[in-house]
DNA sequence: TTCTGTGAATTTTTTCACAGCT
DNA sequence: AGCTGTGAAAAAATTCACAGAA
């Protein structure tokens, strides 16, 4: 996944913010830390230790510290992290200072739910444009936003300075929609459709695939089964057994 | 830097199915290959090469072959893979032979959409139980399934032999629901709530976190911005530039 | 003394490159 | 000829373990 073909690890720079190429895997976790910091801030906490934050986010403390070190962190040895400044650091590093405008294409079952999902607006990702192709949907209003026809993607996205697109269409429609988003200048796409999108190199696609997630879980169910049987040992009383992986994981951990 | 000192790549065993611990990262991709194989089968194809399948799933061909090698694949050198047998191998390896029964907790916005999402049933993951705590929802029928009260989780999950649980509740309710699922014997959970679930080691949790996904994309938007500015070069005409990562990725790739 | 920050070791994943069937 | 299967090399990510600031 990713990684510039060019192995040159570009050295320094004196600039303000970011320090060095942050590993992909770390970026995903930084986003999780940020959420937790916000929660802690809301609860009135002022500092956290790497240990506490790690437990709360289901991560190993050393990993957490290393992750934070990539953004040049602001901890205090012997004490921990002050929540407010750390939160700021993270917001800056993750591009949360300038709010991003999100377009959502496909307002069916899932898309409708996503459009109404508070989690987005709440964390600084206002959905500012909705699109569909169904005449019954075009024109209706969801959360105060009018659903436009897909053909309007270029115009509307430009007008509203959309930087992130979400595709929640049926599979067959996804590539076409994606092409339109790309030609409208959108360079980051979250894809819920069960297809692999073809995009130019400079476009970042992330895929959320519900069926695949279930498939992965099913694998672990089956494995647990095998392991339980494999342990020919006593297994005295109760139900299923076999020690198995704990994926506190989630998205690309 | 660094090579594995201990090259022990655990070899064979005579048994029927699985060969050896399949790397986590591979499992996720195997699920993707399986879907694509089904699609190809539907289109009437009979064979694929690793190259073709790799392109279709957005993966490097060598990686794909290595992934398949973990399940002891059935390709033909000089030719490729016969779709039908390979598909069977994959289904067996991923635990798709015995259909898994899925319970969905939280039939609000998102949960409702998921309950109706055809993608699940279609790929062998029938949602057989729905739960909520809201009196307005308990008792209604979605897709022919009656929504039960959350307190019925133990009974219903046992009756319907649920092996996979999906949590689509608001954050604060998630841990409680999770505990109930676990005590009902569910060992694989897909969590859409924005919290880190605390579970015993033998329970596998996967997390789908929409806000985090957007956050990750926002990071790339910001980075692209920086890179574009960093390249002091001309950048003759049009819009944004800077070569960026292409994450065909998605969930834990 | 406590807890961060980080080199270095370890482990996992990816990629290369080629021997070996068909 | 062509494409798979896989050791071995390379890269990335994780974890260890400890020096050093408060």
């Amino acid at each position: 996944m990713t990684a510039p073909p060019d192995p040159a690890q570009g050295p320094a720079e004196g600039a303000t913010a970011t320090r060095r190429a942050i590993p992909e895997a770390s970026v995903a976790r930084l986003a999780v830390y940020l959420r937790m910091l916000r929660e802690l801030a809301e609860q009135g906490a002022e500092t956290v230790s790497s240990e506490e934050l790690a437990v709360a986010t289901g991560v190993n403390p050393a990993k957490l510290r290393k992750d934070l070190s990539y953004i040049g962190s602001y901890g205090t040895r012997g004490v921990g992290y002050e929540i407010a400044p750390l939160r700021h650091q993270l917001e800056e590093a993750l591009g949360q200072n300038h709010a991003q405008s999100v377009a959502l294409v496909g307002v069916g079952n899932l898309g409708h739910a996503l459009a109404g999902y508070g989690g987005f607006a709440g964390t600084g990702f206002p959905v500012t444009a909705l699109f569909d192709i169904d005449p019954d949907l075009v024109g209706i209003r969801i959360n105060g936003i009018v659903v436009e026809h897909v053909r309007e993607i270029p115009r509307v996205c430009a007008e509203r300075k959309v930087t992130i697109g979400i595709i929640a269409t049926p599979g067959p429609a996804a590539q076409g929609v994606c092409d339109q988003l790309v030609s409208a200048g959108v360079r980051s796409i979250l894809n819920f459709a069960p297809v692999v999108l073809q995009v130019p190199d400079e476009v970042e696609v992330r895929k959320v695939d519900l069926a695949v997630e279930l498939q992965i879980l099913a694998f672990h169910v089956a494995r647990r089964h095998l392991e339980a049987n494999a342990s020919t040992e006593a297994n005295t009383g109760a139900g299923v057994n076999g020690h198995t992986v704990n994926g506190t994981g989630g998205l690309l951990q």
Side-chain angles (χ1 to χ4, degrees), chain A:
Chain A
M1 82 204 79
T2 48
D6 172 65
Q9 191 104 356
E13 52 176 307
T16 329
T18 333
R19 201 168 260 280
R20 178 75 48 219
I22 304 177
E24 265 300 298
S26 292
V27 173
R29 286 188 302 263
L30 288 173
V32 177
Y33 308 150
L34 175 53
R35 194 219 325 279
M36 185 53 68
L37 285 174
R38 283 174 173 150
E39 217 166 283
L40 290 171
E42 244 171 57
Q43 291 168 18
E46 303 210 326
T47 61
V48 254
S49 66
S50 65
E51 173 80 26
E52 290 165 333
L53 191 52
V55 168
T57 53
V59 157
N60 165 316
K63 200 196 301 197
L64 180 141
R65 290 201 299 276
K66 179 136 286 193
D67 286 340
L68 291 182
S69 81
Y70 293 124
I71 63 168
S73 107
Y74 263 58
T76 313
R77 300 188 186 210
V79 181
Y81 301 89
E82 278 190 85
I83 289 175
L86 180 56
R87 176 181 163 178
H88 267 103
Q89 287 270 317
L90 271 170
E91 283 172 348
E92 185 163 37
L94 293 177
Q96 267 277 36
N97 6 21
H98 347 74
Q100 312 264 358
S101 173
V102 176
L104 171 62
V105 190
V107 199
N109 242 340
L110 180 63
H112 206 296
L114 292 175
Y117 182 47
F120 289 167
T123 48
F125 295 102
V127 175
T128 58
L130 299 173
F131 301 96
D132 207 300
I133 206 174
D134 181 343
D136 290 347
L137 292 173
V138 172
I140 71 168
R141 215 175 253 277
I142 299 176
N143 259 10
I145 299 173
V146 176
V147 177
E148 316 264 359
H149 193 279
V150 163
R151 82 170 77 85
E152 305 291 335
I153 286 178
R155 180 180 58 79
V156 174
C157 286
E159 280 174 14
R160 305 187 191 169
K161 302 201 177 7
V162 167
T163 53
I164 298 177
I166 302 180
I167 298 180
T169 66
Q175 183 63 57
V177 161
C178 174
D179 293 345
Q180 293 204 60
L181 284 170
V182 170
S183 74
V186 176
R187 292 287 171 272
S188 289
I189 293 177
L190 182 55
N191 177 31
F192 285 87
V195 296
V196 175
L197 295 175
Q198 230 53 50
V199 293
D201 272 4
E202 72 273 14
V203 176
E204 167 86 9
V205 176
R206 294 190 60 84
K207 187 154 165 248
V208 174
D209 193 321
L210 285 343
V212 165
E213 289 298 317
L214 287 184
Q215 194 74 83
I216 294 167
L217 287 171
F219 167 77
H220 288 287
V221 172
R223 188 164 59 86
R224 219 171 287 122
H225 224 42
L226 293 177
E227 274 177 21
N229 291 3
S231 74
T232 328
E233 254 55 349
N235 242 339
T236 345
V240 192
N241 203 302
H243 52 102
T244 322
V245 178
N246 166 10
T248 315
L251 284 316
L252 99 74
Q253 181 171 65

